[in-house]
Amino acid sequence: MEKRGTTGDKLFNSLTELTSTGIIIYQDNKLVYFNKAAQNIMSSPGGGLRIGMEIWEIVHPDHRTRAREFALRRQRGEKVPSRYEVKVLCEDGTEKWIDFAAGLISWKGKTAVLGTAVDITSRKKYEQELYSSREKYKMLVENLNEIIYTLDKRAVITYVSPNIRALSGYTADEVKGRSFIDFVHPDDKGERLQQFIKVLSGNIEPSEYRFLKKNGEYVWIRTRGRPLIKGSEVVGVQGVLTDITDLKEYQQELLRSKEKAEAAEKAKSAFLANISHEIRTPLNAILGFSEILLDQADDQNQEKLLRLISSGGKHLLSLIEDILDLSRIEAGRFDIQPHPASIRAIMDEVNMIYFEKAESKGVHFYMNISDNVPETVYIDESRLKQVILNLVDNAVKFTSQGSVNIEVSFFYQNNKKGDLAISVKDTGIGVPEGDYGTIFRPFHQQSNQLNREYEGTGLGLPISSRLANLMGGNITMESKTGEGSVFTISIPDIPVINNHYQSKKPGIERYKEKFGSSTAMVADDSPASLELLCHLLENAGMDVVRAENAKMAFELLDKERPSIIFIDIMMPDIDGFQVAARIRENPILENTPLIAYTALSDDQIPGDKRVLFDDILHKPVSGAALFSILEKHVRGDEATEYAAETVFEPQANPGEFAGKVGDITSERTGELAELVSLLENEYLPVWKVLKDQLVLFRIKEFASRLGELGREKRFSILVYYSDRLNKDIEDLDIDSLKDGLLLFPVLLDFLKKHLASFG
């Protein structure tokens, strides 16, 4: 053993060299003994500590003052800590923490200090890191906007971060140990307890409730919690709270603003509906009787005056239509209703309207329809026609010499759909470059026509552009002042229908021949509108029964059995909807076609009321629109031929539903009975209307309602049937759709038989 100072006690040396604890002895603050462990702890092995060195040399400068103070006090016999932690400076410049314990001994007959040293550097480093981590956590917790909390399984608060005070006025100590339910608004307590139980079970969905402040007020908070787990046991809940009072107030303000906007929109819609009705009704009489008088006029001067009346009335009607269309589009209440239509038929009508008008101005009118344009496509015919007519009307109006050229092209993506492009090119006044950005804005007229040389409201192009957008397309413009313009309508992804649609335009004599044995009833409180429609129906050879109000209509229907009934919607006392509902309840009349005769637009008629009618005849009425409805709904003397054209048999059979009955069990007899009653009383009447009309968007509404009913009531057979109809509509498989539609009574009978089998 290496000797560390002079001692005769070999046993002492042996024992001190065997221990891992550093041992030093110093007298008069000078080192007189140290063992090997002390050498290793306080310096590099083999050097560093020296006999006779000042003890302060190994103490870190930051701790020397305190070490000297302890030494002096010990020498004076004062009480000092026998154990403390001190930082030492090793020979190689590294710093270490020592757990140092000291006591007085006798060494060579003189008083000395015996010290033990244990290296605690690693522990001190860990403590420092832990302290730093805790400080960071504390700072984070105290400065978070969110409040951290823990609850035990009884919902008692076991911890809450100090920033609870900023939210509630309570200190953390005031809150801890109390049930969090104590701080929940009475109206929210039941829901919060349920949420607490869910969180214990693992549901971590956030929830919102009102929290009681110390001053008695409530704040809105959002909480997110998760189970608190120790080992494998759930011992409570931990989570965070966020003050959302400002957000709630903002949401309430938004809600109030929304309600005000909806009320204003409702008032606006009511105003537009009323003004539309009040203006259209007299216009209906003006235009209708002008048309009748023109047919009867012999005097050229009278004919000229009648044409001026008719022209002014049509211009006013056009203005009303434009304003109403723009209002509905901007309110998001304008629906596109595609159906099978002929592009060529639309363009023939455009050509018929504008060819003579253009040529009379000395402007050549050309139209070229590409050979590959399909005969029939699936599109909203009336809206496409409206857009084309607006563009062609502008081209003819603003062109005084030269030509108007219309090009119609179709670019197939495959044999089922393609892209339609219609360009209208003119050699008119053109659009100034400064107006490019505003030409599609409502009520804007280009700067070179402010002298009112050209009539118009500036609504045609904005409405056309928006309609094109609603159909999935757009309108582009190329123009140069003084040279002309090119407006192009592009509508992509238009479905092509293989079976062709052919429109019939029979003459008045054919109508008389066809409808001569039929009777029509007209119920309208407006004498002018009543007289006009009756006159047109009589011209078609029909017998007409007139009712000036709803009461008279009911009285006449007790005696008459008309082939078709026209009902004004906005009659006083009993409106047209109530009349239609009463008629539908009459088993003798339930299949008689009911036509809404109205100045309202389609979107102003509620959907649940619309199904009461088979069709709509809009005021002002035209002969073409009336005869189109008669062709569709009155069979007359051609009933046999008509039926042969429209009757078809389903190709499927009830076995199609056999695999869809897994959820139809005897335990659900009551639910099945309720479903059968609902289908029979509410859905079957709608189906009876749909099966003859084959209007795709209405069939889609019917199918969607059935699907929602099936999911709500948990009857998968309805979901299956709904999906079948929707797929046929998406694929435009008209034949399959007809078969599927006729399966509805088969499905109803199938369910009835199952219900009977449970009896």
Side-chain angles (χ1 to χ4, degrees):
M1 183 186 73
E2 180 182 357
K3 292 180 68 175
R4 309 289 181 190
T6 303
T7 177
D9 195 340
K10 292 182 178 180
L11 179 59
F12 174 80
N13 287 334
S14 297
L15 291 173
T16 57
E17 292 300 328
L18 289 174
T19 182
S20 60
T21 300
I23 298 175
I24 61 173
I25 300 175
Y26 56 92
Q27 283 178 327
D28 299 327
N29 297 324
K30 291 185 178 179
L31 192 62
V32 294
Y33 174 82
F34 58 90
N35 67 353
K36 190 173 183 180
Q39 176 75 6
N40 292 337
I41 290 171
M42 289 183 276
S43 63
S44 57
L49 294 182
R50 304 182 307 280
I51 299 298
M53 70 183 296
E54 289 278 343
I55 191 66
W56 319 121
E57 293 181 39
I58 61 174
V59 177
H60 192 280
D62 293 347
H63 288 202
R64 284 177 185 170
T65 301
R66 187 178 65 156
R68 282 194 174 100
E69 179 186 347
F70 284 176
L72 290 172
R73 289 171 58 190
R74 185 178 290 110
Q75 289 175 2
R76 293 195 298 264
E78 296 177 7
K79 187 175 181 180
V80 295
S82 60
R83 182 174 181 174
Y84 55 91
E85 295 173 356
V86 63
K87 190 158 57 172
V88 298
L89 189 63
C90 300
E91 183 183 33
D92 59 2
T94 60
E95 299 175 357
K96 287 185 179 180
W97 278 93
I98 302 299
D99 184 353
F100 187 72
L104 297 176
I105 63 168
S106 176
W107 181 265
K108 292 187 177 181
K110 294 177 64 178
T111 299
V113 177
L114 172 66
T116 60
V118 177
D119 187 350
I120 58 170
T121 305
S122 296
R123 192 191 82 193
K124 292 295 285 186
K125 182 179 179 183
Y126 173 76
E127 288 176 351
Q128 183 59 39
E129 290 174 351
L130 182 61
Y131 175 79
S132 177
S133 176
R134 283 176 175 169
E135 285 299 304
K136 288 178 182 177
Y137 176 76
K138 182 180 177 183
M139 183 180 298
L140 179 65
V141 168
E142 290 178 352
N143 290 280
L144 272 178
N145 289 328
E146 295 180 318
I147 296 162
I148 300 171
Y149 68 90
T150 60
L151 312 174
D152 65 16
K153 294 177 73 172
R154 297 171 302 151
V156 173
I157 301 169
T158 55
Y159 171 80
V160 65
S161 52
N163 51 350
I164 185 68
R165 188 167 191 171
L167 171 73
S168 67
Y170 292 106
T171 65
D173 289 337
E174 288 175 320
V175 170
K176 281 190 289 186
R178 295 177 61 181
S179 171
F180 87 97
I181 293 297
D182 294 346
F183 302 95
V184 178
H185 190 283
D187 293 345
D188 301 336
K189 286 186 178 182
E191 185 179 347
R192 283 300 303 135
L193 278 172
Q194 291 297 320
Q195 183 67 20
F196 175 71
I197 294 169
K198 288 180 180 179
V199 175
L200 286 174
S201 302
N203 185 320
I204 57 174
E205 291 295 321
S207 61
E208 299 175 357
Y209 62 95
R210 286 160 289 184
F211 188 91
L212 178 65
K213 296 173 63 175
K214 193 171 184 178
N215 63 5
E217 297 177 355
Y218 284 93
V219 291
W220 275 98
I221 64 170
R222 177 183 291 128
T223 177
R224 300 189 304 278
R226 65 178 63 245
L228 180 60
I229 300 173
K230 288 188 178 179
S232 59
E233 182 185 0
V234 175
V235 297
V237 168
Q238 60 183 357
V240 292
L241 304 176
T242 307
D243 184 354
I244 59 168
T245 304
D246 291 343
L247 175 62
K248 279 290 184 179
E249 290 176 355
Y250 178 65
Q251 289 174 341
Q252 288 298 317
E253 184 60 34
L254 281 180
L255 181 60
R256 286 190 290 271
S257 299
K258 177 176 177 289
E259 289 171 347
K260 288 179 182 178
E262 288 174 346
E265 180 61 31
K266 188 174 181 180
K268 175 184 173 184
S269 299
F271 170 76
L272 288 173
N274 289 332
I275 201 68
S276 170
H277 179 267
E278 295 302 324
I279 295 177
R280 285 173 187 261
T281 298
L283 267 180
N284 181 46
I286 293 169
L287 294 176
F289 286 119
S290 296
E291 185 178 333
I292 292 169
L293 290 172
L294 272 171
D295 291 338
Q296 299 173 354
D298 295 326
D299 183 272
Q300 288 187 350
N301 188 51
Q302 288 181 351
E303 186 176 338
K304 179 181 178 181
L305 293 175
L306 286 169
R307 290 193 185 280
L308 287 173
I309 292 171
S310 180
S311 175
K314 287 177 180 178
H315 180 69
L316 178 57
L317 178 62
S318 175
L319 175 60
I320 293 168
E321 294 285 0
D322 284 347
I323 292 173
L324 291 174
D325 280 351
L326 184 64
S327 174
R328 289 194 294 267
I329 291 170
E330 292 183 340
R333 294 185 289 105
F334 199 102
D335 294 327
I336 294 299
Q337 301 175 357
H339 57 271
S342 169
I343 295 176
R344 294 179 187 276
I346 294 172
M347 300 314 298
D348 285 345
E349 188 174 340
V350 171
N351 189 66
M352 184 174 62
I353 294 171
Y354 286 101
F355 179 83
E356 185 178 345
K357 185 176 182 180
E359 295 291 336
S360 68
K361 295 177 61 177
V363 175
H364 297 296
F365 192 84
Y366 302 109
M367 182 179 292
N368 179 48
I369 303 176
S370 176
D371 291 338
N372 72 338
V373 172
E375 179 63 30
T376 311
V377 296
Y378 191 65
I379 199 167
D380 190 325
E381 178 182 11
S382 64
R383 297 311 172 188
L384 176 62
K385 188 190 301 183
Q386 183 177 351
V387 173
I388 298 170
L389 289 174
N390 269 328
L391 296 184
V392 176
D393 188 75
N394 280 346
V396 173
K397 179 168 62 177
F398 293 118
T399 304
S400 57
Q401 59 182 357
S403 63
V404 172
N405 291 271
I406 303 173
E407 292 281 343
V408 183
S409 306
F410 197 85
F411 305 95
Y412 285 88
Q413 300 177 21
N414 50 52
N415 62 353
K416 287 190 174 183
K417 67 178 179 178
D419 306 331
L420 175 66
I422 301 173
S423 66
V424 180
K425 182 179 181 180
D426 65 63
T427 57
I429 62 175
V431 179
E433 188 174 347
D435 290 336
Y436 284 7
T438 57
I439 196 70
F440 291 105
R441 293 181 187 173
F443 303 104
H444 175 86
Q445 292 182 317
Q446 58 194 66
S447 54
N448 56 357
Q449 57 154 321
L450 294 179
N451 58 6
R452 303 297 296 170
E453 179 183 352
Y454 305 100
E455 289 185 349
T457 60
L459 289 175
L461 279 178
I463 290 173
S464 297
S465 177
R466 286 159 172 78
L467 287 176
N469 294 156
L470 288 172
M471 290 186 284
N474 60 21
I475 296 177
T476 57
M477 179 193 71
E478 298 175 20
S479 188
K480 192 169 183 181
T481 305
E483 295 184 13
S485 307
V486 181
F487 287 85
T488 302
I489 313 160
S490 301
I491 303 177
D493 304 324
I494 297 178
V496 176
I497 300 176
N498 293 327
N499 55 321
H500 300 310
Y501 167 82
Q502 294 182 349
S503 62
K504 297 180 181 178
K505 299 181 181 178
I508 190 66
E509 292 306 317
R510 181 175 183 275
Y511 285 124
K512 287 182 177 180
E513 180 182 342
K514 179 173 182 178
F515 304 124
S517 62
S518 301
T519 301
M521 170 180 274
V522 181
D524 194 328
D525 66 300
S526 167
S529 294
L530 179 64
E531 181 62 33
L532 173 61
L533 183 54
C534 290
H535 182 89
L536 292 172
L537 289 167
E538 288 168 348
N539 273 358
M542 300 185 77
D543 292 329
V544 181
V545 178
R546 305 167 184 234
E548 297 174 2
N549 51 54
K551 183 179 178 182
M552 184 181 294
F554 292 137
E555 291 173 353
L556 289 170
L557 286 173
D558 287 336
K559 299 175 288 185
E560 303 287 345
R561 295 293 176 266
S563 308
I564 189 168
I565 302 172
F566 295 86
I567 306 171
D568 177 32
I569 288 179
M570 298 185 72
M571 290 188 292
D573 298 328
I574 303 175
D575 64 30
F577 298 126
Q578 294 169 295
V579 174
R582 288 268 296 272
I583 293 173
R584 290 298 185 205
E585 292 171 359
N586 187 331
I588 298 174
L589 298 170
E590 64 177 350
N591 292 321
T592 303
L594 298 185
I595 310 301
Y597 181 40
T598 181
L600 298 177
S601 59
D602 285 353
D603 67 307
Q604 291 171 327
I605 301 174
D608 59 334
K609 306 291 187 183
R610 173 64 179 84
V611 296
L612 293 168
F613 297 96
D614 296 281
D615 219 323
I616 299 175
L617 179 63
H618 291 288
K619 300 176 183 179
V621 65
S622 67
L626 173 61
F627 296 144
S628 174
I629 284 177
L630 293 178
E631 281 277 0
K632 188 188 300 184
H633 298 289
V634 180
R635 300 189 178 186
D637 292 338
E638 298 180 4
T640 303
E641 175 189 348
Y642 183 88
E645 292 174 355
T646 58
V647 172
F648 45 88
E649 294 296 330
Q651 300 300 311
N653 58 69
E656 182 171 346
F657 302 123
K660 315 299 177 187
V661 295
D663 47 16
I664 301 177
T665 62
S666 57
E667 289 81 7
R668 301 187 67 194
T669 301
E671 294 175 69
L672 182 58
E674 182 183 342
L675 178 69
V676 168
S677 175
L678 191 63
L679 292 176
E680 195 162 35
N681 295 320
E682 293 188 20
Y683 287 76
L684 188 59
V686 177
W687 173 83
K688 287 178 179 178
V689 174
L690 294 176
K691 69 181 177 65
D692 292 327
Q693 293 184 357
L694 206 69
V695 179
L696 297 190
F697 81 95
R698 302 219 178 275
I699 298 174
K700 188 171 182 65
E701 289 176 356
F702 177 75
S704 298
R705 286 182 60 199
L706 280 174
E708 291 170 3
L709 180 64
R711 281 182 282 273
E712 178 187 346
K713 303 293 186 182
R714 297 181 293 113
F715 283 102
S716 58
I717 192 169
L718 288 186
V719 178
Y720 163 78
Y721 181 63
S722 168
D723 290 344
R724 172 187 168 147
L725 293 179
N726 280 322
K727 185 177 186 303
D728 289 339
I729 292 171
E730 290 170 5
D731 295 342
L732 289 175
D733 191 340
I734 304 301
D735 291 335
S736 178
L737 179 61
K738 290 177 179 179
D739 292 341
L741 192 60
L742 288 186
L743 276 175
F744 180 74
V746 178
L747 168 62
L748 182 55
D749 187 62
F750 182 77
L751 294 174
K752 285 181 179 179
K753 288 178 179 178
H754 267 275
L755 181 61
S757 70
F758 296 150

